[in-house]
Amino acid sequence: MTMQSTLRQETTEALIAALPRPGGAAWLGAARDAALERLRRMGLPQRRDEYWRFTDPGRLVSPAVPAVPLREDDEKPAFAAVEPLRIVFVDGRFDAAASDPLAPEGVEIGHLGRLEPAEGHWAASLFGVLEAEGQKPVPRPFAALNTAFAAEGALIRVRGEASRPIHLVYRRTGDGAEVLLHHVVRVEGGASVTLLESGVGAARLNTVLEVDVAEGSRFHHVRLQGRDPARIAVTHLFARVAGQGEFRSFTLGFNGALSRNEAFVTLTGDEAVAHVAGAAVGDGDFHHDDTVFVTHRGRGCESRQVFKKVLRHGAVGVFQGKILVERTAQKTDGYQISQGLLLDERSQFLAKPELEIYADDVKCSHGSTAGAIDETALFYLRSRGVPAEEARDLLTLAFLHEALDEIPDERLAGELSEKLEGWLRRHR
Amino acid sequence: MLEIRNLHVELEEGGKPILKGLDLTVEAGRVHAIMGPNGSGKSTLSYVLAGREGYVVTQGSARLDGEDILAMEPEERAAAGLFLAFQYPVEIPGVGNMTFLRTALNAQRKARGEEEISSGDFLRLVREKARALNIDAEMLKRPINVGFSGGEKKRNEILQMAVLEPRMCILDETDSGLDVDAMRLVADGVNALRDAGRAFLVITHYQRLLDHIVPDVVHIMADGRIVRSGGPDLALEVETNGYAGILGAGAAA
């Protein structure tokens, strides 16, 4: 055994030893055992791993979690305009009293932490299954870790058109602690739902969201990643989209010492759609990594990846995005853009865009840029009387808007745009 | 209104002198035209007055109503009443025309200690001015200048001027890239704004714009200086004899 693999093993075992093993239904136990075995086989990532070239996993693998001081929450509750059904997790525990009682019409909601033996069997075919499929060709060890150790999460089955969006709210009451949450969503044929997520949740938050989008159904996802500057998060989104299904996910990231958001989406059926997008703004101690892997398997599918980051005072933005077009995926329409707006010379945007295409009749394009504010545009605005700072904000928002345009619901897009405006004003 | 005295300007990069002792006085209520061959420094003059970066003023002064504008930020110059209609209006994806105009108007009002304009009044104001310039509502909804034709961009400049109501308007080669109809629309827009309290400096290479915007005074600029001034007839002389004829073969080269 080489020294590096010994070190990997030791690091992995140290984190495993630090986490309590959850109990639960028999099918869950089996899925968790399998995930633990997967995790042990691949081991936790190390700095030298190609997939972690731009992001040091050190702060994610350490058994001790640095405390993140709790700040007073002076923000308005997110997403109130769309009147979502709220499912609240406090320090990683489902809080029934703080949550809204009744599931919207057409939706069944269960909880990983309180499954009766007869409940949630539908989830057995997805829990840890989409995650396991997402371990190839590149391992995603924190997702396997999550499957093995997450004691809580929502199991959401959508059978019709959900009458309200569902909002997963992550609150915390203490400074420290690691929280793992594992959610499973199945959107059955012809059904549709919007899932929202918000809140810091923990000093170190690890979430996995597995989504099965059945034929002709629709899943929209909007996530707001909290603003505590020292927070650390590693998230995984695994989605399988059947024929004519539609999957859209958008994440807005504010601050955060370290965020690694992975999305692994497979278009299995024909004429399916997947859009994965995000906007992030960071000032100073900010490292924000979007790692996206979209596989086209069905014919005539469309995928878009749109990621924009605004970085200042030494903030770092990372984008690793791949479009894999399998031999069967003729008539694929794939698009990928990632852009960093650097507000000073100390900030960095690191991108690794990739296309891998095995079908011969496809349309795929990708681009990546990193640059400063356009001085010509800035002068034009100022020459009309717009003060320099306001002009800079206008141009910065314009830059972010191409990503925000990926949010189908105008109310949600408007709310996130306002949050960005506020952030820019506070960080002038 | 605008007084420029012995203005010397060089490029920040490389230090090449462009303006070499320019003197110019524009009185309120008057239209002055500056004509000159390519490279004479016409556009540099407009950019320096508007406050674009990249130029160094080494000598001289420029005052608007007695105030030193060269010490002001571009937005302060705008609030003081200076407006430059760009030769190449900038396309800005993602910033809506209306948002931009409203932000600019309110920022100027705020800087002058005036109240912000209400949404209703603003809409009415823009619609009225846009109609006169034959600018349709669709154009106003689009991002600034994105996908606009050359003529639309120039009309949009004049619309901004009409809405912001500056007192000192500088038009930099506003006729470039315009066909006859578009030029007439632009000229009508400018002429509608002519009044006793407002002055214009029309910079142009060709005489034809001055058929539509008839100036009170015409200046010929060469090698960073005003070398001749006269009435509207001077523009016709340029048209007939060319710059070479007016400046003498040596100066026009």
Side-chain angles (χ1 to χ4, degrees):
Chain A
M1 193 171 279
T2 67
M3 235 166 48
Q4 208 195 331
S5 64
T6 312
L7 180 64
R8 190 189 301 274
Q9 203 175 35
E10 280 168 9
T11 311
T12 307
E13 291 304 327
L15 187 56
I16 288 173
L19 291 166
R21 296 219 54 196
W27 65 266
L28 263 176
R32 284 170 174 149
D33 287 346
L36 184 57
E37 205 187 302
R38 273 198 296 285
L39 172 64
R40 286 199 154 112
R41 247 193 338 264
M42 60 185 114
L44 288 171
Q46 293 187 293
R47 189 69 212 258
R48 254 178 262 198
D49 296 353
E50 177 62 23
Y51 219 45
W52 291 84
R53 217 171 94 196
F54 301 133
T55 298
D56 184 349
R59 281 183 287 183
L60 295 171
V61 301
S62 63
V65 180
V68 175
L70 196 64
R71 341 196 316 174
E72 203 179 324
D73 190 3
D74 56 351
E75 273 191 302
K76 281 184 289 180
F79 307 134
V82 296
E83 295 175 16
L85 175 107
R86 284 168 310 150
I87 302 176
V88 181
F89 296 88
V90 178
D91 296 324
R93 296 275 157 206
F94 169 58
D95 186 335
S99 303
D100 292 328
L102 289 173
E105 236 170 89
V107 181
E108 271 173 41
I109 298 172
H111 290 277
L112 203 56
R114 34 172 86 180
L115 275 185
E116 299 295 329
E119 281 181 340
H121 273 287
W122 63 267
S125 62
L126 297 171
F127 181 87
V129 173
L130 297 188
E131 174 258 297
E133 284 172 9
Q135 298 294 352
K136 277 176 274 175
V138 190
R140 304 171 201 277
F142 293 107
L145 177 90
N146 180 294
T147 303
F149 291 100
E152 296 262 6
L155 307 175
I156 302 168
R157 186 184 196 185
V158 187
R159 294 174 131 161
E161 193 172 325
S163 55
R164 293 162 74 184
I166 296 166
H167 183 185
L168 306 174
V169 182
Y170 308 141
R171 293 193 188 137
R172 66 195 190 108
T173 57
D175 287 353
E178 169 140 43
V179 161
L180 299 107
L181 292 169
H182 194 121
H183 312 293
V184 177
V185 180
R186 174 165 167 78
V187 193
E188 303 201 334
S192 69
V193 72
T194 295
L195 184 74
L196 310 167
E197 287 181 90
S198 76
V200 172
R204 186 163 79 191
L205 180 68
N206 177 332
T207 65
V208 165
L209 174 59
E210 290 174 297
V211 185
D212 184 35
V213 181
E215 220 166 275
S217 67
R218 201 182 73 205
F219 175 82
H220 289 177
H221 175 229
V222 176
R223 174 165 57 173
L224 177 59
Q225 270 178 335
R227 53 185 258 233
D228 287 270
R231 72 180 174 81
I232 291 174
V234 54
T235 75
H236 288 81
L237 185 51
F238 295 97
R240 183 165 72 190
V241 189
Q244 296 180 332
E246 181 186 310
F247 172 91
R248 288 175 197 248
S249 173
F250 181 91
T251 300
L252 178 61
F254 282 93
N255 306 343
L258 174 60
S259 308
R260 165 95 166 195
N261 294 328
E262 295 199 22
F264 184 90
V265 182
T266 305
L267 296 156
T268 57
D270 297 345
E271 291 164 32
V273 172
H275 291 196
V276 190
V281 289
D283 189 339
D285 184 18
F286 174 82
H287 185 107
H288 192 277
D289 176 337
D290 281 296
T291 290
V292 181
F293 197 113
V294 174
T295 303
H296 282 256
R297 190 163 296 150
R299 279 177 68 91
C301 293
E302 175 201 307
S303 76
R304 281 170 71 83
Q305 301 173 31
V306 180
F307 287 87
K308 302 262 191 167
K309 299 182 202 233
V310 173
L311 307 160
R312 61 183 300 173
H313 294 145
V316 179
V318 174
F319 174 76
Q320 304 190 95
K322 180 154 183 168
I323 307 175
L324 169 64
V325 181
E326 295 187 351
R327 210 169 31 78
T328 48
Q330 299 296 355
K331 304 284 181 196
T332 283
D333 183 354
Y335 175 73
Q336 180 197 85
I337 181 85
S338 65
Q339 293 181 305
L341 179 63
L342 310 176
L343 296 184
D344 55 47
E345 285 177 5
R346 288 196 292 136
S347 301
Q348 274 188 82
F349 181 64
L350 307 161
K352 189 179 171 194
E354 281 183 286
L355 294 177
E356 193 176 329
I357 301 174
Y358 296 100
D360 48 23
D361 183 13
V362 303
K363 190 174 92 188
C364 275
S365 62
H366 66 123
S368 182
T369 64
I373 290 247
D374 179 352
E375 289 295 330
T376 314
L378 188 63
F379 173 64
Y380 188 70
L381 296 176
R382 293 178 70 190
S383 78
R384 298 300 180 246
V386 182
E389 288 183 331
E390 222 172 306
R392 238 172 243 127
D393 285 1
L394 271 177
L395 294 173
T396 305
L397 274 177
F399 166 82
L400 291 165
H401 262 273
E402 198 194 337
L404 285 174
D405 286 347
E406 292 294 319
I407 303 171
D409 188 311
E410 279 180 20
R411 290 167 300 175
L412 296 172
E415 180 176 339
L416 296 192
S417 179
E418 273 172 35
K419 284 198 186 299
L420 285 167
E421 270 177 60
W423 188 92
L424 291 171
R425 263 199 307 275
R426 287 194 301 277
H427 289 82
R428 274 179 181 170
Chain B
M1 176 169 287
L2 179 68
E3 267 190 89
I4 302 171
R5 290 284 163 269
N6 191 33
L7 189 62
H8 288 257
V9 170
E10 56 187 47
L11 291 181
E12 194 171 64
E13 234 172 272
K16 186 181 174 213
I18 307 287
L19 300 184
K20 303 170 182 174
L22 185 131
D23 287 290
L24 178 69
T25 303
V26 182
E27 310 81 8
R30 308 265 274 175
V31 174
H32 284 234
I34 292 188
M35 303 183 70
N38 288 330
S40 56
K42 303 189 298 292
S43 284
T44 296
L45 174 63
S46 71
Y47 283 142
V48 168
L49 292 175
R52 190 180 180 137
E53 285 178 19
Y55 303 97
V56 182
V57 176
T58 53
Q59 261 191 77
S61 65
R63 297 182 180 276
L64 185 65
D65 293 327
E67 277 196 83
D68 175 12
I69 54 167
L70 298 180
M72 297 180 187
E73 297 293 334
E75 56 268 32
E76 293 169 337
R77 301 178 196 206
L82 186 88
F83 181 96
L84 168 64
F86 282 57
Q87 181 179 3
Y88 304 108
V90 183
E91 294 188 14
I92 309 183
V95 181
N97 245 323
M98 292 294 268
T99 311
F100 162 52
L101 254 181
R102 195 169 163 201
T103 308
L105 181 59
N106 280 330
Q108 290 200 18
R109 286 178 166 230
K110 203 172 142 194
R112 293 192 293 257
E114 298 164 16
E115 290 250 323
E116 292 200 350
I117 189 168
S118 75
S119 306
D121 288 347
F122 174 74
L123 268 178
R124 271 188 293 278
L125 174 71
V126 175
R127 282 207 193 113
E128 179 205 317
K129 307 285 187 190
R131 202 174 307 124
L133 285 159
N134 206 7
I135 290 174
D136 63 33
E138 263 319 295
M139 232 174 101
L140 291 171
K141 281 187 204 152
R142 302 215 302 257
I144 303 167
N145 294 324
V146 175
F148 287 24
S149 70
E152 286 174 331
K153 283 181 185 170
K154 295 298 173 80
R155 271 187 280 154
N156 200 25
E157 293 292 286
I158 305 305
L159 173 67
Q160 291 170 21
M161 195 164 87
V163 169
L164 297 172
E165 299 187 315
R167 288 175 310 120
M168 181 68 235
C169 309
I170 303 168
L171 278 63
D172 185 10
E173 308 252 1
T174 293
D175 52 335
S176 68
L178 293 190
D179 60 28
V180 180
D181 293 338
M183 185 148 60
R184 190 160 295 135
L185 269 174
V186 165
D188 288 349
V190 171
N191 288 329
L193 286 167
R194 285 176 84 152
D195 75 37
R198 185 171 287 131
F200 290 85
L201 185 60
V202 180
I203 294 171
T204 181
H205 188 75
Y206 300 105
Q207 182 267 341
R208 57 175 197 165
L209 179 66
L210 304 179
D211 285 343
H212 303 282
I213 305 173
V214 181
D216 299 300
V217 185
V218 174
H219 308 275
I220 306 295
M221 192 168 167
D223 195 25
R225 261 176 246 135
I226 303 286
V227 293
R228 255 187 89 178
S229 300
D233 293 351
L234 188 53
L236 296 171
E237 208 182 315
V238 170
E239 189 70 6
T240 317
N241 302 334
Y243 288 110
I246 285 186
L247 302 169

